[in-house]
Amino acid sequence: MIPRFGPTPRRDIAYSHRMGAYAILPRQGQLLLTHQEEPEPELQLPGGGIDPGESPLQALHREVFEETGWIIGAPRRLGAFRRFVYMPEYDLWAEKLCLIYVAQPVRPHGPPAEAGHTAIWASPDFAAEALGNSGDRHFVRTYLTDL
């Protein structure tokens, strides 16, 4: 069973399914994260929605690059979780299936290409407390436990 994090789904809402790929990116004792300004400022694991015709790994590489400017390598899936959220940027209520990977940040290629994103290096302990959703925090804590 895939665990659920966050609020209980509401019975009065028809949720759209939205699948995404996200990465824990360790390097030299720090994690590469992204700070997203809109719709609310939030610290996040880099990643995002999987586009039609795209595999989860293709989406992971694309999204990490867009949000951080970094090229990644050696992705390994850690697990998945679900959460039910309103996505104001799409005016959409979504049941998100979040696939979580750990990968190596190989090299920076420039600043984030996606507007409103800033690449941030943070300690894993800080990330485990400050990430914007409880599923991301759970997987960072799980990753730290497995080290």
Side-chain angles (χ1 to χ4, degrees):
M1 180 185 292
I2 297 173
R4 178 181 52 80
F5 289 90
T8 302
R10 292 174 34 186
R11 295 181 194 273
D12 62 325
I13 293 174
Y15 292 90
S16 296
H17 292 280
R18 180 121 168 110
M19 192 175 208
Y22 303 86
I24 296 171
L25 302 167
R27 184 176 171 133
Q28 299 176 345
Q30 300 282 299
L31 296 182
L32 179 58
L33 307 172
T34 186
H35 183 267
Q36 180 176 321
E37 286 296 323
E38 301 287 337
E40 296 290 328
E42 183 176 77
L43 197 60
Q44 302 171 341
L45 290 179
I50 300 170
D51 291 339
E54 194 174 44
S55 74
L57 287 176
Q58 288 170 326
L60 184 71
H61 283 273
R62 177 183 54 75
E63 286 282 353
V64 169
F65 182 76
E66 288 174 358
E67 294 182 357
T68 68
W70 279 73
I71 294 170
I72 61 170
R76 178 177 54 89
R77 186 170 160 181
L78 293 181
F81 69 93
R82 293 180 318 140
R83 63 189 201 122
F84 294 81
V85 298
Y86 178 68
M87 301 174 71
E89 62 272 31
Y90 301 106
D91 190 25
L92 175 75
W93 286 95
E95 175 185 357
K96 293 183 74 172
L97 175 60
C98 303
L99 307 176
I100 305 296
Y101 293 83
V102 63
Q104 297 303 308
V106 175
R107 71 176 190 277
H109 197 273
E114 194 165 325
H117 284 266
T118 305
I120 304 284
W121 289 98
S123 74
D125 289 333
F126 176 79
E129 297 299 321
L131 285 165
N133 76 70
S134 56
D136 287 355
R137 293 190 301 269
H138 166 81
F139 274 96
V140 167
R141 288 184 193 112
T142 299
Y143 169 75
L144 290 173
T145 302
D146 292 344
L147 289 180

